[in-house]
């Protein structure tokens, strides 16, 4: 994809906002001027968008960089801001969530209903011994109760740690341990592609390790399947939540109180617990949601297709839309169940006006053909968003034409788990958009592209994306490992946050994201590290050594390709180098068990050697060339230059 981007850096197409859109837009060019005084700007946003229990007088304190407390002497509650204040303002009957189950049944959650259910759940959590500061793991499918669980935690000041329902018991176990969670909230199972899949079993398996501090497992009945039950520990949601009072006072917490921990992959094998706090996070997520999506809470129907297991589902499903009083759609299922027009059917059914999704989904829809979306009424749409990976210009143009009918602005939003909120994006109604470019840092955000020495590159140049100023939704560190926080983000370029992405500035100074420059892969917009999958592979008894690369893939952006050397005694299991399908199936299943099905390698190649430098470092670059079917680059630094031709021959025979 980067070749594609390289070629199109001389993009001539530009789509200025329509006068009608610009006339009604929330954002204006004036925002950039207002934001010149960054602290005054964020102060105004924090005051306008949130309700504080105690007003703050301090703004940013960067004296202990890279730690950046914002609004530190203010207090507030996230759930109060998301729910109660709207109900108190007479908006209780506004729809907060249109829930669409995979089977097409639906449920309407008004702000009043959501507030009451969150209050009851908060009372139940307190009754089960969860208190201020206790960590709660949430392992649930994409149903309203997942949002209820998150907001109930926020309501009592208990940081949640949501673990994506597609992660395995092993992945859940390591996250529970790292955060020392006291409770897990889960469901008996989930609906997926027309069948039910168990979920609680993975929680049981995680706790069976015997080393977690989990006291209770709160289980929402979703599918009605059989579950194993431990009377001393497990509690049905329907036994404890409905009988609670809806009287509950949200606990005001300091702005810097931890709101959640969310694990994400980095360059080492162990995922990092990214820590986000309350005041700054809510300020920037609400601000970006309002301006980047041009949200009009009275009339818009907003739909972000992300799962709450990822940062997009935290910031732009569970928090910002509710803080802004929006009406949103939550969909439990997959885009192709029971048919490939499912998403467009949902847009038509609810009259969705703002759609926020990932390039991988757009590319899948492109493959399925435009007759499908053409069969539904998409005229309600007025703005389209993209997130998670670079969007290739072809997909961007398709999105604009087929879904947006050449009428809707597209916002390509760049950000990360660590940034908490959108950082780079066109401003709808202001920016003339370019297919494939995320374009400019938002007002209030300091960003640049620098060379190896940390010097800004001129227009037309490429390098590393950095953030030059602290921002309100910035991560407050890595849970339990602040040294790793400094080292990972702040040591490569002193005084600047290193995002891990390569980027270019075009002749107009617009930013083009070029993908990760580290060992992080982006598979369907999901972040996985090569080392994490390598560790999973070498934990299998057959495997002596493994190297993983992200190969280019037309639909998923990247795909996991693994090169594996078997231990001597198992080599005969692979009938022939490059073959050994049974071994490959076992290894794929093992990766799914260790991490989750999303991490399963697309291809596993059994090899006799890996390309290494004389100092023993694996040259992944060369493996990536092989996986991408490119001519293999310079092999002169290899200890044994014949290795690559052996690997290629093995591959050719596959
Ligand atoms: O490489 C960038 C890519 O996704 C990474 C962050 O992944 P994660 O923390 O899982 O958050 C994804 C959702 C916010 C980034 O380092 N990325 C995200 N958005 C874009 C992107 N790459 C290009 N263009 C984007 N719009």
């Amino acid at each position: 994809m980067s070749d594609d981007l390289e070629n199109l850096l001389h993009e001539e197409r530009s789509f200025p906002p329509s006068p009608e859109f610009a006339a009604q837009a929330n954002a204006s060019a004036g925002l950039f001027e207002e934001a010149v005084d960054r602290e005054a700007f964020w102060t105004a946003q924090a005051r306008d968008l949130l309700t504080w229990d105690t007003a703050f007088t301090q703004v940013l304190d960067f004296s202990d960089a890279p730690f950046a407390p914002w609004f530190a002497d203010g207090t507030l509650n996230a759930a109060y801001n998301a729910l109660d204040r709207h109900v108190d303002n007479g908006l209780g009957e506004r729809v907060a969530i249109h829930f669409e189950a995979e089977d097409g049944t639906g449920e309407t959650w008004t702000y009043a209903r959501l507030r009451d259910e969150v209050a009851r759940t908060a009372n139940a959590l307190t009754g089960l011994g969860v208190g201020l500061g206790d960590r709660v793991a949430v392992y649930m499918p994409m149903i309203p109760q997942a949002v209820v669980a998150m907001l109930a935690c926020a309501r009592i000041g208990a940081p949640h740690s949501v673990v994506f329902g597609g992660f395995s018991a092993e992945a859940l176990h390591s996250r529970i341990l790292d955060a020392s969670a006291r409770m897990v909230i889960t469901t008996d199972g989930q609906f997926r592609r027309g069948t039910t899949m168990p979920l609680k079993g993975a929680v049981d398996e995680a706790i069976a390790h015997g080393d977690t501090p989990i006291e209770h497992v709160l289980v929402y009945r979703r599918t009605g399947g059989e579950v194993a039950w431990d009377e001393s520990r497990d509690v049905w949601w329907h036994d404890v939540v409905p009988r609670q009072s809806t009287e509950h006072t949200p606990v005001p917490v300091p702005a810097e109180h931890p709101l959640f921990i969310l694990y994400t992959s980095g360059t080492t094998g162990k995922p990092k617990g990214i820590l986000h706090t309350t005041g700054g996070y809510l300020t920037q997520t609400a601000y970006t949601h309002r301006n980047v999506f041009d949200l009009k809470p009275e009339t818009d129907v907003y739909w972000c297709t992300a799962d709450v297991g990822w940062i997009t589902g935290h910031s732009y499903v569970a928090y910002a839309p509710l803080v802004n009083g929006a009406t949103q759609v939550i969909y439990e299922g997959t885009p192709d169940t029971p048919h490939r027009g499912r998403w467009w059917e949902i847009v038509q059914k609810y009259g969705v006006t703002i759609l926020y999704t990932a390039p991988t989904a757009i590319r899948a829809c492109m493959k399925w053909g435009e007759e499908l979306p053409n069969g539904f009424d998409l005229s309600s749409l007025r703005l389209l968003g993209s997130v998670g990976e670079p969007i290739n210009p072809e997909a961007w143009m398709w999105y604009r034409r087929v879904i947006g009918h050449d009428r809707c602005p597209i916002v390509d939003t760049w950000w990360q788990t660590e940034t908490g909120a959108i950082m780079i994006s066109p401003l709808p109604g202001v920016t003339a958009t370019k297919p494939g470019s995320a374009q400019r840092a938002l007002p209030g955000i300091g960003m640049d592209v620098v060379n190896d020495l940390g010097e800004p590159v001129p227009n037309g140049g490429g390098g590393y994306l950095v953030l030059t100023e602290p921002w309100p939704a910035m991560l407050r560190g890595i849970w339990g490992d602040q040294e790793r926080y400094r080292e990972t983000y702040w040591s490569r370029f002193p005084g600047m946050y290193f995002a891990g992405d390569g980027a270019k500035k075009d002749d107009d100074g617009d930013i083009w994201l070029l993908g990760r420059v580290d060992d992080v892969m982006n598979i369907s917009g999901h972040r996985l590290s090569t080392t994490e999958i390598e560790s999973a592979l070498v934990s299998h008894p057959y495997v002596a050594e493994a190297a993983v690369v992200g190969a280019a893939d037309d639909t998923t952006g990247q795909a996991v390709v693994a090169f594996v050397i078997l231990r001597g005694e198992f080599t005969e299991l692979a009938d022939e180098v490059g073959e050994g399908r049974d071994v490959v199936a076992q290894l794929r299943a093992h990766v799914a068990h260790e991490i989750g099905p999303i991490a399963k390698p697309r291809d596993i190649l059994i090899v006799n050697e890996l390309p290494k430098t004389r100092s023993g470092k694996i040259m992944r670059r060369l493996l990536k060339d092989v996986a991408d079917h490119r001519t293999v680059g310079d092999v002169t630094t290899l200890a044994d230059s014949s290795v690559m031709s052996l690997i290629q021959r093995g591959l050719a025979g596959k």
Side-chain angles (χ1 to χ4, degrees):
M1 189 182 304
S2 64
D3 290 348
D4 192 8
L5 284 175
E6 288 274 351
N7 297 338
L8 283 148
L9 269 181
H10 305 288
E11 177 65 63
E12 299 291 332
R13 288 169 293 193
S14 165
F15 299 94
S18 70
E20 303 79 57
F21 195 99
Q24 59 82 63
N26 290 346
S28 67
L31 275 181
F32 287 100
E33 281 139 50
E34 276 174 50
V36 169
D37 183 344
R38 203 179 303 275
E39 293 191 23
F41 176 76
W42 287 117
T43 298
Q45 303 303 328
R47 291 200 176 127
D48 288 354
L49 295 164
L50 302 179
T51 304
W52 296 78
D53 287 275
T54 317
F56 59 87
T57 61
Q58 300 162 358
V59 183
L60 167 67
D61 177 3
F62 207 38
S63 57
D64 184 26
F67 298 95
W70 284 82
F71 317 123
D73 61 346
T75 67
L76 75 172
N77 182 279
Y80 174 82
N81 273 278
L83 302 171
D84 302 57
R85 63 173 180 156
H86 304 312
V87 177
D88 296 348
N89 288 338
L91 302 176
E93 291 316 303
R94 179 180 291 173
V95 176
I97 297 172
H98 288 296
F99 173 59
E100 174 83 4
E102 196 183 63
D103 67 4
T105 53
E107 252 185 26
T108 302
W109 287 70
T110 61
Y111 272 89
R113 176 179 176 191
L114 192 57
R115 184 241 159 250
D116 286 354
E117 187 68 358
V118 168
R120 282 193 207 96
T121 310
N123 279 323
L125 294 185
T126 307
L128 290 166
V130 179
L132 185 74
D134 289 337
R135 272 82 62 203
V136 174
V138 176
Y139 186 60
M140 297 176 93
M142 198 52 191
I143 56 176
Q145 286 75 18
V147 175
V148 170
M150 292 164 80
L151 291 175
C153 289
R155 202 172 174 90
I156 60 172
H160 52 72
S161 165
V162 181
V163 179
F164 174 56
F167 278 127
S168 68
E170 287 309 307
L172 174 64
H173 173 244
S174 64
R175 285 159 174 78
I176 289 174
L177 269 192
D178 190 81
S180 310
R182 280 186 94 146
M183 176 188 264
V184 187
I185 309 180
T186 189
T187 64
D188 52 349
Q190 58 181 322
F191 293 103
R192 207 166 159 80
R193 298 192 191 282
T195 60
T196 58
M197 283 166 50
L199 206 58
K200 178 170 181 288
V203 177
D204 295 340
E205 203 183 318
I207 299 175
H209 282 268
D211 53 0
T212 73
I214 295 295
E215 290 163 12
H216 290 292
V217 180
L218 180 60
V219 189
Y220 179 79
R221 182 139 68 201
R222 175 72 189 133
T223 54
E226 283 283 304
V227 286
W229 204 253
D230 175 342
E231 287 295 341
S232 67
R233 185 195 72 193
D234 300 342
V235 185
W236 282 115
W237 179 296
H238 56 253
D239 282 341
V240 294
V241 174
R243 63 180 163 83
Q244 302 293 329
S245 161
T246 57
E247 294 288 308
H248 182 271
T249 309
V251 178
V253 295
E256 286 298 327
H257 185 75
L259 182 60
F260 65 85
I261 304 165
L262 182 60
Y263 287 83
T264 190
S265 297
T267 51
T268 66
K270 194 170 158 262
K272 306 174 278 201
I274 302 300
L275 172 65
H276 282 289
T277 58
T278 310
Y281 173 80
L282 293 179
T283 300
Q284 193 181 333
T285 51
Y287 155 78
T288 48
H289 186 254
R290 186 175 182 285
N291 289 292
V292 174
F293 299 119
D294 191 49
L295 180 82
K296 308 285 191 289
E298 301 80 18
T299 47
D300 275 318
V301 178
Y302 162 88
W303 182 22
C304 165
T305 63
D307 189 285
V308 288
W310 309 103
I311 191 67
T312 309
H314 279 61
S315 303
Y316 298 106
V317 176
Y319 287 105
L322 298 173
V323 167
N324 284 339
T327 295
Q328 69 176 320
V329 172
I330 288 186
Y331 173 51
E332 176 189 29
T334 49
D336 53 354
T337 308
H339 59 82
R340 289 176 167 178
R342 191 74 175 98
W343 275 14
W344 318 119
E345 184 178 61
I346 293 172
V347 168
Q348 174 180 294
K349 176 170 175 183
Y350 295 103
V352 171
T353 59
I354 302 169
L355 177 68
Y356 190 32
T357 192
T360 186
I362 300 165
R363 289 192 296 265
C365 292
M366 277 173 80
K367 261 197 195 156
W368 296 340
E370 58 188 87
E371 317 69 61
L372 287 166
N374 287 348
F376 295 91
D377 179 4
L378 306 184
S379 61
S380 56
L381 287 170
R382 65 179 199 91
L383 185 137
L384 303 173
S386 173
V387 62
E389 48 178 321
I391 178 164
N392 44 315
E394 196 193 350
W396 194 101
M397 289 301 295
W398 188 91
Y399 198 26
R400 179 179 157 86
R401 179 176 60 80
V402 179
I403 307 303
H405 296 175
D406 288 325
R407 174 173 49 75
C408 305
I410 295 184
V411 289
D412 173 11
T413 63
W414 179 91
W415 58 296
Q416 312 178 294
T417 306
E418 292 87 340
T419 70
I422 299 169
M423 305 293 281
I424 308 177
S425 167
L427 273 184
V430 177
T431 314
T433 54
K434 284 182 190 173
S437 169
Q439 299 193 292
R440 295 289 163 108
L442 291 177
I445 300 301
M447 177 269 300
D448 214 330
V449 178
V450 298
N451 63 18
D452 266 324
L453 302 172
E455 298 156 348
V457 302
N459 287 355
Y464 306 98
L465 186 76
V466 293
L467 300 168
T468 53
E469 302 285 344
W471 61 100
M474 181 167 125
L475 75 164
R476 298 305 196 258
I478 295 176
W479 184 258
D481 198 349
Q482 295 300 36
E483 208 28 62
R484 192 173 167 203
Y485 165 63
R486 285 178 196 275
E487 173 58 33
T488 310
Y489 305 104
W490 299 91
S491 66
R492 177 74 178 76
F493 302 110
M496 291 186 252
Y497 171 93
F498 172 49
D501 281 44
K504 284 207 168 198
K505 292 181 189 168
D506 68 14
D507 293 340
D508 302 325
D510 283 323
I511 301 296
W512 295 72
L513 276 312
L514 301 175
R516 302 285 306 195
V517 293
D518 54 12
D519 296 332
V520 171
M521 293 175 293
N522 197 324
I523 317 293
S524 298
H526 297 153
R527 189 164 150 181
L528 291 164
S529 90
T530 53
T531 28
E532 192 180 355
I533 300 177
E534 285 165 6
S535 310
L537 283 166
V538 294
S539 74
H540 191 283
Y542 291 173
V543 177
E545 238 186 305
V548 165
V549 297
D553 185 287
D554 283 349
T555 307
T556 57
Q558 285 189 310
V560 181
V561 175
F563 297 82
V564 168
I565 303 179
L566 298 181
R567 285 177 192 273
E569 61 270 42
F570 297 110
T571 43
E572 74 274 12
L573 287 176
D575 326 315
E576 245 182 336
V577 169
E579 287 278 335
R581 296 194 204 292
D582 191 45
V583 177
V584 165
Q586 287 185 50
L587 295 181
R588 292 183 81 231
H590 180 69
V591 173
H593 180 263
E594 291 296 302
I595 304 173
I598 50 165
K600 267 200 239 174
R602 183 189 71 190
D603 301 318
I604 297 184
L605 302 153
I606 310 289
V607 295
N608 289 325
E609 288 294 341
L610 289 170
K612 288 189 184 155
T613 58
R614 285 176 196 93
S615 60
K617 202 168 164 307
I618 296 176
M619 294 200 58
R620 286 202 182 72
R621 176 173 60 76
L622 299 179
L623 293 173
K624 201 162 148 37
D625 287 344
V626 171
D628 285 343
H629 309 290
R630 267 198 307 262
T631 321
V632 173
D634 183 8
V635 295
T636 48
T637 51
L638 285 183
D640 173 1
S641 58
S642 66
V643 168
M644 286 316 296
S645 47
L646 282 176
I647 291 178
Q648 275 180 303
R649 243 180 285 149
L651 239 183
K654 202 174 89 100

